[in-house]
Amino acid sequence: MTREQKVVEQSDLLPLLFAELDSSKGLTVFDVGPAVPETVDFFSQFKCRLFFADLLSDLSAEKDPDDGKVDFGELLTYPTETRFDICLFWDFLNFLDVEMLRAFNLAITPYIHDETRAHCYGRFSRRSPVMNQQFGIKKIDEVVVRNSNVRLPTCYPHGYADLRDIMGCFSFSRSMLLREGRLEILMYAS
Amino acid sequence: MFDKRKDNEGDSSALSVQREDPRAAIESATKTSAVIGTKIQIEGNIIGDENLIIEGKVDGTVEVRSKDLTIGPSGQVTANVTARIVKIDGTVKGDITGLEKVTISKTGKVQGNIVAPRVTLEDGAKFKGSIDMDPGEATTHETPRTSLKSPSKPKPVGDQPSDGVSANTATK
């Protein structure tokens, strides 16, 4: 895949994210990545509120060289009544070290409710590469993957067990090994 | 400060149509837009009832509720904006309300919250913030294209293998 190209991947777990989800009252969706056309288009058929955080750009741009940390409490400031039905973390968690991962878990917890479900990509092993890519939902069972040219921060590939142990606000449900050691993971609020 | 620009300005074929077809002439006459040029900078509130194109800088609020608003490629708007249809080719920092539709084109850059029945992002558009969409509020009612029906939510399976790959793991 060249820089400009995008590919569409089938996802067996993505449909489970939407299982038994009542969209009639409106969906609240948190996407940790940048807004991509496909995701906006996909959700445009529903009454919904989408939050695009684009945290990776904050992580690259605002990283304090003194301590290398970002304050997720400052970055994730949404109206107090906000509760996400769906969280799309994509591969963002692999750019957080253990300490930052804990901080992210704490920052996201106030916005989680009992039925929140989440999707992320971990890595099969810590040696599995983390690519510079952006993700979006094209269809209920299709993910669009684009090569990105944003400057990447240091990456910390996390395996299933690492993520499960640290992301305490979720219980890990199912995972699927994809190509290049990418591990697709489905989570539910715990 | 505001220029008037006809959409078919300089188009001789369109002018000949005007002479021949009165209806087309009326339609063309109503398709005028106020333009804030590239070298204009406005601090304050803009409220109007005609189509508006912003190519310059605006700080404040922009409200053309029943008309269309275009932020041109050189437009830089730091304001909350409201219009029937909003098209962004430039930069906007602020909240955007599109009573029918909001489109961010490939050169558009938006930081703020969007409320509109329909929102379209073109490839390359930059957006950070929230989008409130309700297709039921659009003037053209469309039924959802995709059902959310899918397999039932599985029960959490508890501890996974230490490598994190569950029994249904498959390599694609």
Side-chain angles (χ1 to χ4, degrees):
Chain A
M1 185 167 62
T2 63
R3 175 164 289 187
E4 304 304 322
Q5 281 181 325
K6 59 183 178 186
V7 295
V8 176
E9 295 179 354
Q10 284 288 319
S11 168
D12 292 336
L13 297 191
L14 206 55
L16 299 176
L17 204 59
F18 297 94
E20 296 175 11
L21 198 59
D22 181 7
S23 63
S24 63
K25 293 172 189 165
L27 300 174
T28 304
V29 180
F30 174 75
D31 189 327
V32 78
V36 299
E38 290 81 3
T39 303
V40 174
D41 189 49
F42 174 77
F43 283 105
S44 71
Q45 60 200 300
F46 309 110
K47 184 178 189 301
C48 65
R49 188 163 198 200
L50 311 176
F51 291 87
F52 291 100
D54 195 9
L55 288 182
L56 202 56
S57 65
D58 289 314
L59 207 58
S60 300
E62 295 179 14
K63 206 167 181 176
D64 182 346
D66 292 335
D67 62 6
K69 307 298 177 207
V70 292
D71 185 349
F72 288 117
E74 269 184 20
L75 294 174
L76 299 176
T77 50
Y78 301 116
T80 48
E81 69 278 10
T82 304
R83 296 293 180 275
F84 303 130
D85 298 306
I86 294 173
C87 293
L88 302 169
F89 297 141
W90 305 119
D91 67 351
F92 173 71
L93 305 180
N94 297 294
F95 295 98
L96 306 178
D97 64 16
V98 170
E99 196 183 328
M100 283 198 287
L101 206 50
R102 286 203 179 96
F104 179 72
N105 180 62
L106 273 179
I108 199 85
T109 299
Y111 304 110
I112 302 301
H113 64 79
D114 290 348
E115 296 291 318
T116 302
R117 55 284 303 272
H119 176 280
C120 77
Y121 292 119
R123 285 295 178 274
F124 179 69
S125 82
R126 287 176 185 161
R127 288 193 302 276
S128 303
V130 179
M131 318 292 276
N132 193 353
Q133 292 171 326
Q134 291 177 346
F135 302 89
I137 300 180
K138 187 170 172 61
K139 289 183 185 169
I140 200 164
D141 59 351
E142 285 183 359
V143 174
V144 64
V145 184
R146 273 185 185 77
N147 277 347
S148 169
N149 55 10
V150 298
R151 192 166 62 89
L152 285 185
T154 310
C155 62
Y156 308 89
H158 293 296
Y160 184 98
D162 294 344
L163 293 173
R164 181 197 55 195
D165 292 346
I166 297 169
M167 293 296 289
C169 62
F170 291 103
S171 63
F172 283 44
S173 171
R174 296 175 69 174
S175 63
M176 183 81 76
L177 182 60
L178 308 178
R179 61 187 171 197
E180 294 159 345
R182 186 151 39 99
L183 192 66
E184 186 177 22
I185 300 171
L186 189 65
M187 303 174 274
Y188 294 100
S190 56
Chain B
M1 183 169 74
F2 293 83
D3 300 331
K4 289 277 183 183
R5 182 197 289 174
K6 284 186 176 179
D7 286 354
N8 57 359
E9 198 171 57
D11 184 345
S12 58
S13 63
L15 289 172
S16 68
V17 170
Q18 283 182 23
R19 285 189 207 104
E20 289 166 18
D21 184 354
R23 277 191 314 172
I26 292 166
E27 202 177 304
S28 173
T30 56
K31 280 186 179 175
T32 54
S33 298
V35 180
I36 298 173
T38 52
K39 293 180 180 172
I40 303 292
Q41 184 168 344
I42 295 175
E43 287 182 21
N45 304 328
I46 299 172
I47 300 172
D49 193 25
E50 62 182 302
N51 296 335
L52 177 62
I53 299 170
I54 299 176
E55 295 282 6
K57 277 188 184 179
V58 175
D59 282 5
T61 61
V62 181
E63 212 176 300
V64 283
R65 298 188 80 87
S66 61
K67 302 293 179 182
D68 300 351
L69 171 67
T70 302
I71 317 291
S74 60
Q76 290 180 46
V77 175
T78 306
N80 294 338
V81 305
T82 304
R84 188 175 67 96
I85 295 174
V86 183
K87 184 168 189 287
I88 300 149
D89 302 320
T91 304
V92 177
K93 202 168 183 182
D95 295 341
I96 299 166
T97 302
L99 302 177
E100 276 187 22
K101 189 182 178 183
V102 173
T103 300
I104 307 176
S105 76
K106 61 182 179 183
T107 56
K109 220 174 165 182
V110 176
Q111 187 171 344
N113 304 310
I114 297 176
V115 178
R118 287 179 295 150
V119 177
T120 304
L121 249 72
E122 291 180 5
D123 223 341
K126 303 241 184 298
F127 173 75
K128 185 170 182 172
S130 72
I131 297 176
D132 253 309
M133 285 186 287
D134 186 354
E137 286 181 0
T139 48
T140 52
H141 292 271
E142 291 174 8
T143 51
R145 287 164 287 166
T146 305
S147 164
L148 284 183
K149 283 188 177 178
S150 56
S152 297
K153 173 181 169 179
K155 298 274 185 231
V157 291
D159 284 347
Q160 300 283 330
S162 58
D163 65 0
V165 183
S166 65
N168 64 343
T169 294
T171 304
K172 286 197 167 180

